C-alpha cells in the first residue's frame, strides 16, 4: 500500500482495505483523491460517504455477519467460542474506532474544499491585467436586478437617471444607493434647469485610467456567487489577463459553447492551471478590443429588406472574431425562435403614452443579438419602414441597453464602448448620446459611429417634427436644413452626421460621391464640413451564408453545391435546375442573365427595361427578382407575359430564389444609377457569375473591368447610366461567353478567389472605432 501514501496522516490503509472487501462505501473512500478537493462532485461524494459509512457501521445485520464469521474463524483456530466472541468484539470495537477516524478525516477534507473555494475567490479578486488596471468590463457588472431596484416607471425626459456614472461611489447594495447617487449628480437636464449637473470628471482621457476608476466603483453586482460561478470567474479572470474579450458566463451556457468548454464541470482547480493561458492566442484586435453595440432597423436572417440587413448580420460577427465584445440591437418584429426573453421589463412614458419594452436575447457566433420587444414593432414585420418614422424606433432606449440588458449575466456598461448606428433610421442615436448624456458629463467615453448605407433616404419632414424627438430646444439647429426643392425642413440624417463622432460609408467611391451635389442628395455640404471624420470601407460578405460550397439553398430540387474545382459541372447543374424551376427551356448553351434587387430608381431597372427589346433579339434568357415600385413590378410581369420563352419576372422577396439565381445565372446585371457599395455583385463573383455593372460607388470599387489583353478583371463596367452603354457592355460580355470560353473561365475563377470576406473590412472598422475612442 505504499502507493496509498497520499492518504492523510492517521489513516490506516489496512483498515480501509479490509473494509473495502466488505462495504461499498469504503471502496469509494479508497477512490477518494485529494487532487479533486475543489470539485462540487467530490464534495457531494464526501457527504454521501459520511452518511453511508455511519449507516453501515450502525446496522445490526453487518454486526451479526461479522460476529458469525468471527466465531467460525475462532473455531477453525482451536479457540473456545467465548474467547472467539471476545476477540470479535475487540476487532469490532477497533474497526468502529478507525471508522470514526475516517469520519474525522473526511470532515477535514470538506474543510479543505471550503478553503480551496476561498482561495479561488481570492485569486480572482487579486489578479490584474497586464496594463496594470482592472478590466473595463468589471465596471459593467451592474445586473438588471440592481437597476430594477433603482428605478420605477420613468418618463422619457429622465433618461440617464438610472445610469451608473464614472467616478460615483456606490456599492453592494445597488439599487437604492445607485439611484441616490445618480439623482444627486443628475438632477435634471440642462434645458430643464439652469443648474447644470455635476458629473464627476474622469482623471484622464486614458481609457485604462477610466476603467480603473470605474472598476473600483462598480462592485454592485447583485449576483450571488455559487461554486460554479467561482470557478467560472476564475476562468474569466484568466481570460481577462490575456486581454481577451469578456465572455458571457453564467446563464446561457447552452448558447455559449466556448464558455462551456472552458469551464470544467467538476470545477477541478487543476484544470485552471494558469500556464494554460499561453495556449489561448491573444485576440486579433490586441489592445484595441472594445465593446461595440450595433443598432439597426433590420438584421439578417431575422428581418431583411436589403443590404443593410446583410451588413447588420455579418459585420458584428467579423468584429467578434477579432476579439471585440459585440452586441446587435434590433426591433423584435416577430417571434424569433432563437431569442430568449431576458426577463427585463422597462416601462416608459412617451408623449404621455405608457409603453412596456422587453428584451430578448440570442448569442450566436460570438455576438449578442438583442431584440427590443415593444407593441410598436408588432404586426409590421412585412412593412418595417411603413410606420411612423419618428416613433417606430425609440433610440433613447437603445442607449440604455448597455445598462439594462445583461448578456450572459453581465451588462456592457459604458466604458470602452462604441455604438454603430446605421442609416437615418438610427441616426438619432448619436444626437441622443450627446444631448442626454455627454452634454451632462455622462457616458463621456462612449462613442458613436454613423454608417451611411444610402444617403437618398434621410428622414425628412416639416420643421415642426422637431417637437416629437424630445430634445433641448437648441438642438433644432442640427436638424434644420434648407433644401432648394422643399425649403427649410427637418432632417434626421443631417443631425446624426453632425453629432456622430465618426462617419463611415460603405465604399471609397461612395465616400467621394457623397461630397458632390449629385451624390450627396442635399447633405453634401454637411459631409464636406465633416470630411475629417468620414471613412469609406467596402462591405464584405458573409462567406458562410454566401458560398457555393455550403449554400443550403443548393441542396435540393436539382441544385448542387460546387467549388472552384467543380465549377463547370456544378454551375451548369444549378443553371439547369433554375431553368427547370422557373419553367424556362433547359439549355446549357444559352446565356442566363439575372437581376436581383429593390425595384426603384436607384437600381436602374428602367435601363434594363429599355434594353429588353435588344436583349430579346439575342439568344438569351433573363430572370429578374425584385419588389418595390408598383409600376416597376408590373413591368416585370409584362416582360414575362410578352417573352414567356425567355423572361421570368419574379415579383416578391425570396432569399432562396436570390441564392439560386446567383448560382444558376451566368451573368448578373447591376445598372444602378448610384450604388453605395452593392452586395449582389460580390455574391455573384463568389459563385462564378459575371457582373455587368454601372461603374459607380461601390460597383466601381469592386468590379475591375475585364482586360482581354492581360486576361485580368472580373466583369464588365460601363461609365454612364445609359441604355446604350449597358447594351455595349452586355454585348461584349455575351461575345466572350460564346466565343472565348477560356477567358470566361478565367473571369469566373478570378472572381471566385477574391477575398470578399468581412475580415478585412472589420479591421478597417476597428481603426475607426479606435480613432473615435481617442478623439475628443
Ligand atoms: N426581391 C428580393 N428577394 C431576395 N433578396 C433580395 C431581393 N431584393 C434584394 N435582395 C437582397 O437584398 C440585398 C441587397 O443588397 P444591396 O447591397 O444590393 O442593396 P441595398 O440597396 O438594399 O443596400 C444598401 O446598403 C447596402 C449595404 O451597405 C449597400 O451595399 C447598397 O449599396 C445600399 O444601397 C442582397 O442581399 C440581395 O440579395
Amino acid at each position: 500500500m505504499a502507493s496509498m501514501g497520499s492518504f492523510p496522516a492517521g489513516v490506516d490503509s489496512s483498515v480501509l482495505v479490509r473494509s473495502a472487501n466488505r462495504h461499498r462505501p469504503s471502496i469509494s473512500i479508497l477512490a477518494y483523491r485529494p487532487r479533486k478537493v475543489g470539485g462540487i462532485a467530490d464534495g457531494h461524494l464526501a457527504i454521501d460517504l459520511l452518511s453511508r459509512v455511519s449507516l453501515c457501521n450502525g446496522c445490526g445485520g453487518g454486526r451479526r455477519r461479522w460476529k458469525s464469521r468471527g466465531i467460525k474463524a475462532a473455531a477453525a483456530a482451536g479457540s473456545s467460542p467465548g474467547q472467539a466472541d471476545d476477540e470479535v468484539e475487540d476487532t469490532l470495537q477497533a474497526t468502529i474506532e478507525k471508522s470514526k477516524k475516517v469520519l474525522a478525516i473526511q470532515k477535514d477534507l470538506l474543510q479543505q474544499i471550503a478553503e480551496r473555494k476561498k482561495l479561488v475567490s481570492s485569486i480572482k479578486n487579486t489578479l490584474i491585467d497586464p496594463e496594470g488596471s482592472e478590466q473595463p468590463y468589471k465596471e459593467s457588472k451592474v445586473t438588471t436586478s440592481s437597476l430594477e431596484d433603482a428605478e420605477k416607471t420613468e418618463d422619457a425626459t429622465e433618461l440617464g437617471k438610472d445610469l451608473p456614472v464614472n467616478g460615483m461611489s456606490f456599492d453592494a447594495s445597488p439599487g437604492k444607493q445607485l439611484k441616490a447617487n445618480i439623482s444627486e449628480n443628475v438632477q435634471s437636464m440642462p434645458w430643464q434647469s439652469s443648474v447644470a449637473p455635476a458629473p464627476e470628471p474622469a482623471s484622464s482621457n486614458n481609457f485604462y485610467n477610466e476603467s480603473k476608476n470605474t472598476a473600483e466603483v462598480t462592485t454592485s453586482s447583485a449576483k450571488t456567487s455559487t461554486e460554479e460561478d467561482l470557478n467560472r470567474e476564475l476562468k474569466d479572470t484568466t481570460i481577462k489577463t490575456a486581454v481577451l474579450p469578456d465572455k458571457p458566463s453564467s446563464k446561457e451556457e447552452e448558447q455559449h459553447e466556448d464558455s462551456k468548454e472552458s469551464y470544467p464541470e467538476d470545477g477541478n482547480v487543476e484544470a485552471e492551471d494558469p500556464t494554460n493561458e499561453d495556449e489561448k492566442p491573444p485576440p486579433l484586435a490586441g489592445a484595441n478590443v472594445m465593446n461595440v453595440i450595433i443598432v439597426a432597423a433590420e438584421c439578417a436572417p431575422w428581418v431583411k429588406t436589403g443590404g443593410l440587413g446583410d451588413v447588420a448580420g455579418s459585420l458584428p460577427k467579423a468584429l467578434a472574431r477579432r476579439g471585440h465584445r459585440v452586441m446587435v440591437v434590433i426591433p423584435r418584429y416577430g417571434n424569433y425562435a432563437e431569442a430568449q426573453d431576458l426577463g427585463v421589463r422597462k416601462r416608459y412614458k412617451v408623449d404621455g403614452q405608457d409603453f412596456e419594452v422587453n428584451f430578448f436575447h440570442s448569442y450566436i457566433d460570438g455576438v449578442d443579438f438583442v431584440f427590443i420587444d415593444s407593441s410598436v414593432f408588432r404586426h409590421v414585420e412585412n412593412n418595417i419602414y411603413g410606420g411612423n418614422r419618428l416613433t417606430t424606433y425609440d433610440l433613447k432606449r437603445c442607449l440604455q441597453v448597455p445598462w439594462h440588458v445583461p448578456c450572459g449575466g453581465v451588462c456592457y456598461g459604458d466604458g470602452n464602448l462604441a455604438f454603430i448606428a446605421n442609416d437615418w433610421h438610427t441616426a438619432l442615436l448619436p444626437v441622443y448620446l450627446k444631448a442626454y448624456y455627454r452634454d451632462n458629463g455622462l457616458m463621456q467615453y462612449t462613442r458613436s459611429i454613423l454608417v451611411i448605407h444610402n444617403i437618398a433616404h434621410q428622414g425628412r419632414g416639416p420643421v415642426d417634427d422637431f417637437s416629437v424627438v424630445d430634445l433641448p430646444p437648441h438642438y433644432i439647429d442640427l436638424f434644420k436644413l434648407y433644401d432648394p426643392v422643399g425649403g427649410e425642413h427637418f432632417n434626421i440624417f443631417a443631425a446624426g452626421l453632425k453629432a456622430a463622432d465618426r462617419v463611415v460609408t460603405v465604399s471609397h467611391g461612395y465616400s467621394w460621391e457623397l461630397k458632390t451635389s449629385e451624390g450627396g442628395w442635399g447633405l453634401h455640404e454637411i459631409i464636406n464640413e465633416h470630411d475629417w471624420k468620414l471613412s469609406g470601407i467596402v462591405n464584405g460578405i458573409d462567406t458562410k451564408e454566401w458560398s457555393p460550397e455550403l449554400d443550403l439553398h443548393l441542396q435540393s430540387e436539382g441544385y448542387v453545391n460546387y467549388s472552384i474545382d467543380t465549377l463547370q459541372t456544378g454551375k451548369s447543374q444549378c443553371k439547369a435546375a433554375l431553368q427547370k424551376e422557373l419553367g424556362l427551356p433547359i439549355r446549357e448553351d444559352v446565356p442566363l442573365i439575372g437581376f436581383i434587387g429593390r425595384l426603384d430608381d436607384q437600381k436602374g431597372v428602367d435601363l434594363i427595361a429599355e434594353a429588353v427589346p435588344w436583349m430579346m433579339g439575342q439568344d438569351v434568357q433573363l430572370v429578374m427578382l425584385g419588389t418595390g415600385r408598383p409600376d416597376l413590378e408590373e413591368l416585370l410581369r409584362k416582360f414575362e407575359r410578352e417573352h414567356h420563352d425567355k423572361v421570368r419576372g419574379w415579383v416578391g422577396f425570396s432569399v432562396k430564389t436570390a441564392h439560386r439565381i446567383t448560382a444558376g445565372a451566368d451573368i448578373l446585371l447591376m445598372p444602378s444609377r448610384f450604388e453605395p457599395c452593392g452586395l449582389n455583385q460580390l455574391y455573384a463573383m463568389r459563385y462564378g457569375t459575371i457582373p455587368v455593372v454601372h461603374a459607380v460607388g461601390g460597383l466601381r470599387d469592386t468590379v475591375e473591368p475585364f482586360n482581354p489583353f492581360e486576361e485580368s478583371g472580373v466583369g464588365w463596367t460601363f461609365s454612364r447610366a445609359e441604355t446604350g452603354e449597358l447594351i455595349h457592355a452586355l454585348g461584349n460580355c455575351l461575345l466572350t461567353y460564346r466565343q472565348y470560353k477560356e477567358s470566361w473561365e478565367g473571369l469566373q475563377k478570378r472572381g471566385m478567389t477574391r477575398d470578399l470576406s468581412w475580415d478585412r473590412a472589420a479591421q478597417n472598422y476597428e481603426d475607426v472605432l479606435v480613432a473615435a475612442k481617442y478623439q475628443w
Side-chain angles (χ1 to χ4, degrees):
M1 292 306 295
S3 62
M4 303 296 280
S6 60
F7 276 101
V11 177
D12 179 348
S13 60
S14 64
V15 172
L16 295 174
V17 172
R18 266 206 311 274
S19 302
N21 293 334
R22 294 171 184 158
H23 298 285
R24 273 170 180 273
S26 297
I27 292 171
S28 301
I29 293 169
L30 283 170
Y32 200 91
R33 288 188 296 164
R35 190 176 70 79
K36 298 188 81 179
V37 292
I40 297 171
D42 287 349
H44 287 164
L45 174 65
I47 291 161
D48 192 39
L49 285 170
L50 285 173
S51 56
R52 287 214 241 165
V53 167
S54 45
L55 268 176
C56 245
N57 286 343
C59 80
R63 207 182 157 108
R64 269 194 303 278
R65 270 198 307 279
W66 287 7
K67 200 166 180 173
S68 78
R69 280 184 203 147
I71 291 168
K72 280 178 195 162
S79 317
S80 71
Q83 265 180 310
D85 227 350
D86 286 340
E87 277 173 34
V88 167
E89 279 299 336
D90 290 342
T91 310
L92 187 60
Q93 197 53 45
T95 306
I96 289 169
E97 285 308 312
K98 297 215 165 153
S99 293
K100 279 182 187 167
K101 278 187 189 168
V102 171
L103 284 174
I105 289 157
Q106 285 168 337
K107 264 188 188 170
D108 191 43
L109 287 173
L110 283 173
Q111 180 69 29
Q112 285 183 38
I113 289 169
E115 277 167 15
R116 290 297 284 266
K117 278 193 229 165
K118 275 188 209 154
L119 184 66
V120 167
S121 160
S122 71
I123 289 169
K124 179 227 143 222
N125 288 334
T126 51
L127 274 180
I128 52 171
D129 75 21
E131 300 292 333
S133 65
E134 293 190 35
Q135 283 296 318
Y137 32 82
K138 221 182 158 190
E139 79 198 273
S140 68
K141 284 204 169 187
V142 178
T143 63
T144 312
S145 54
S146 62
L147 285 165
E148 294 278 4
D149 278 353
E151 67 164 75
K152 294 175 187 150
T153 302
E154 67 168 338
D155 188 276
T157 56
E158 289 183 310
L159 287 161
K161 282 194 174 180
D162 58 353
L163 178 73
V165 181
N166 295 342
M168 287 184 191
S169 68
F170 61 94
D171 61 15
S173 53
K176 290 180 184 119
Q177 183 72 47
L178 168 62
K179 182 84 174 177
N181 283 324
I182 288 168
S183 31
E184 265 172 43
N185 286 274
V186 193
Q187 285 300 332
S188 58
M189 297 299 166
W191 60 93
Q192 292 164 328
S193 156
S194 57
V195 184
E200 291 275 328
S203 57
S204 110
N205 64 1
N206 178 300
F207 160 69
Y208 288 105
N209 287 342
E210 176 211 359
S211 308
K212 199 166 185 175
N213 292 341
T214 52
E216 281 165 10
V217 161
T218 51
T219 51
S220 63
S221 171
K223 199 162 99 180
T224 311
S225 287
T226 61
E227 181 162 0
E228 270 182 5
D229 287 334
L230 285 171
N231 286 306
R232 282 180 190 144
E233 283 173 22
L234 175 67
K235 183 70 189 175
D236 203 24
T237 313
T238 40
I239 289 169
K240 286 172 186 177
T241 319
V243 205
L244 282 169
D246 194 10
K247 285 278 176 199
S249 60
S250 59
K251 291 184 183 167
E252 294 156 20
E253 286 176 313
E254 56 298 319
Q255 291 164 349
H256 296 60
E257 281 304 323
D258 291 348
S259 313
K260 196 176 176 185
E261 279 168 23
S262 306
Y263 305 133
E265 286 290 321
D266 63 359
N268 188 346
V269 179
E270 200 173 73
E272 303 292 346
D273 185 349
T275 55
N276 290 346
E277 274 172 36
D278 298 341
E279 291 161 21
K280 281 232 171 204
L284 291 170
N288 290 333
V289 286
M290 288 181 73
N291 292 341
V292 183
I293 300 183
I294 296 170
V295 185
E298 56 182 272
C299 177
W302 298 282
V303 52
K304 165 175 160 178
T305 71
L308 171 58
D310 287 348
V311 174
S314 43
L315 168 62
K317 292 177 186 172
L319 286 170
R321 282 196 292 276
R322 294 193 57 74
H324 301 282
R325 189 179 184 202
V326 189
M327 183 197 294
V328 178
V329 181
I330 57 162
R332 183 171 179 266
Y333 299 108
N335 292 325
Y336 307 131
E338 309 82 351
Q340 305 297 314
D341 190 345
L342 282 172
V344 180
R345 306 271 183 278
K346 296 283 152 195
R347 296 194 72 81
Y348 303 107
K349 268 202 171 66
V350 179
D351 252 6
Q353 246 191 306
D354 232 1
F355 283 97
E356 186 180 83
V357 176
N358 305 335
F359 298 92
F360 284 67
H361 173 254
S362 185
Y363 183 77
I364 299 170
D365 292 342
V367 177
D368 290 303
F369 289 93
V370 170
F371 304 85
I372 298 187
D373 181 55
S374 161
S375 57
V376 292
F377 301 137
R378 282 174 217 140
H379 317 300
V380 297
E381 197 173 1
N382 297 319
N383 188 19
I384 62 170
Y385 299 118
N388 182 337
R389 75 197 156 82
L390 292 174
T391 56
T392 46
Y393 205 161
D394 189 348
L395 293 149
K396 282 172 281 187
R397 307 303 150 215
C398 292
L399 282 165
Q400 295 179 316
V401 160
W403 299 110
H404 285 167
V405 182
C407 294
V410 182
C411 292
Y412 274 52
D414 73 341
N416 197 24
L417 174 68
F419 283 95
I420 301 183
N422 294 278
D423 272 352
W424 77 267
H425 333 112
T426 51
L428 278 173
L429 189 141
V431 185
Y432 287 137
L433 177 63
K434 198 167 146 35
Y436 281 95
Y437 297 94
R438 301 265 291 271
D439 286 359
N440 300 292
L442 307 173
M443 295 182 97
Q444 286 294 312
Y445 301 96
T446 302
R447 299 288 178 263
S448 65
I449 288 138
L450 179 58
V451 183
I452 306 172
H453 297 268
N454 192 337
I455 203 82
H457 304 279
Q458 302 176 356
R460 289 170 168 234
V463 175
D464 286 351
D465 277 355
F466 180 71
S467 61
V468 185
V469 292
D470 193 19
L471 282 161
H474 65 276
Y475 266 80
I476 195 166
D477 295 336
L478 286 188
F479 291 86
K480 266 192 195 166
L481 192 69
Y482 179 79
D483 188 88
V485 181
E488 195 168 63
H489 69 281
F490 168 85
N491 193 305
I492 291 177
F493 221 153
L497 290 170
K498 290 178 202 166
D501 294 303
R502 291 270 155 171
V503 177
V504 170
T505 192
V506 289
S507 69
H508 307 285
Y510 196 56
S511 73
W512 180 85
E513 289 168 14
L514 283 171
K515 290 178 235 162
T516 66
S517 54
E518 296 82 10
W521 292 68
L523 295 178
H524 56 284
E525 281 177 10
I526 294 171
I527 291 167
N528 274 304
E529 262 171 51
H530 294 264
D531 189 25
W532 65 271
K533 63 181 182 186
L534 175 68
S535 317
I537 302 176
V538 175
N539 287 331
I541 66 173
D542 184 332
T543 47
K544 265 203 244 165
E545 165 81 8
W546 290 91
S547 151
E549 291 102 319
L550 306 170
D551 198 322
L552 295 175
H553 304 294
L554 304 182
Q555 293 173 0
S556 58
E557 296 165 78
Y559 294 89
V560 288
N561 289 125
Y562 60 91
S563 65
I564 197 158
D565 299 325
T566 56
L567 171 66
Q568 300 315 327
T569 52
K571 195 159 171 67
S572 36
Q573 217 171 313
C574 289
K575 180 174 171 178
L578 181 66
Q579 289 167 327
K580 183 171 176 222
E581 185 179 354
L582 299 178
L584 286 167
I586 301 174
R587 286 178 51 202
E588 192 175 345
D589 61 321
V590 65
L592 203 164
I593 303 165
F595 168 89
I596 302 161
R598 287 182 288 107
L599 301 178
D600 67 9
D601 274 349
Q602 177 188 345
K603 301 296 178 184
V605 187
D606 54 325
L607 297 182
I608 299 179
E610 285 168 14
V612 161
W614 172 82
M615 277 194 248
M616 294 304 103
Q618 313 287 309
D619 186 16
V620 298
Q621 293 178 345
L622 174 66
V623 177
M624 297 178 75
L625 167 68
T627 48
R629 253 174 46 194
D631 59 323
L632 296 175
E633 289 183 350
E634 185 45 39
L635 205 61
L636 257 59
R637 295 191 189 98
K638 178 172 165 278
F639 291 149
E640 179 171 327
R641 267 197 315 274
E642 291 177 355
H643 308 279
H644 198 70
D645 58 333
K646 287 185 171 175
V647 179
R648 287 295 174 271
W650 184 312
V651 175
F653 197 93
S654 164
V655 172
K656 180 169 89 172
T657 310
H659 279 250
R660 289 179 165 184
I661 292 174
T662 306
D666 298 298
I667 299 159
L668 189 86
L669 272 188
M670 285 188 76
S672 308
R673 291 184 179 280
F674 69 94
E675 195 61 80
C677 176
L679 294 172
N680 286 321
Q681 83 281 9
L682 304 180
Y683 301 147
M685 285 189 244
R686 187 144 170 85
Y687 282 70
T689 304
I690 306 302
V692 176
V693 307
H694 176 208
V696 69
L699 295 175
R700 183 174 45 209
D701 284 7
T702 56
V703 182
E704 184 199 342
F706 174 55
N707 180 337
F709 303 107
E710 294 175 2
E711 288 292 341
S712 63
V714 291
W716 274 265
T717 61
F718 52 98
S719 50
R720 287 193 306 278
E722 292 171 4
T723 312
E725 293 239 339
L726 166 63
I727 290 172
H728 181 74
L730 186 55
N732 284 334
C733 174
L734 292 173
L735 183 75
T736 310
Y737 175 85
R738 291 198 176 100
Q739 294 183 14
Y740 301 95
K741 288 289 177 198
E742 269 184 32
S743 293
W744 188 261
E745 218 177 298
L747 277 153
Q748 287 180 305
K749 290 188 171 168
R750 284 192 292 277
M752 286 180 92
T753 48
R754 276 206 161 179
D755 178 10
L756 302 169
S757 75
W758 265 106
D759 292 332
R760 206 171 25 169
Q763 207 169 340
N764 294 332
Y765 269 89
E766 189 178 295
D767 292 343
V768 173
L769 289 165
V770 171
K773 173 169 153 179
Y774 293 110
Q775 96 187 23
W776 288 88

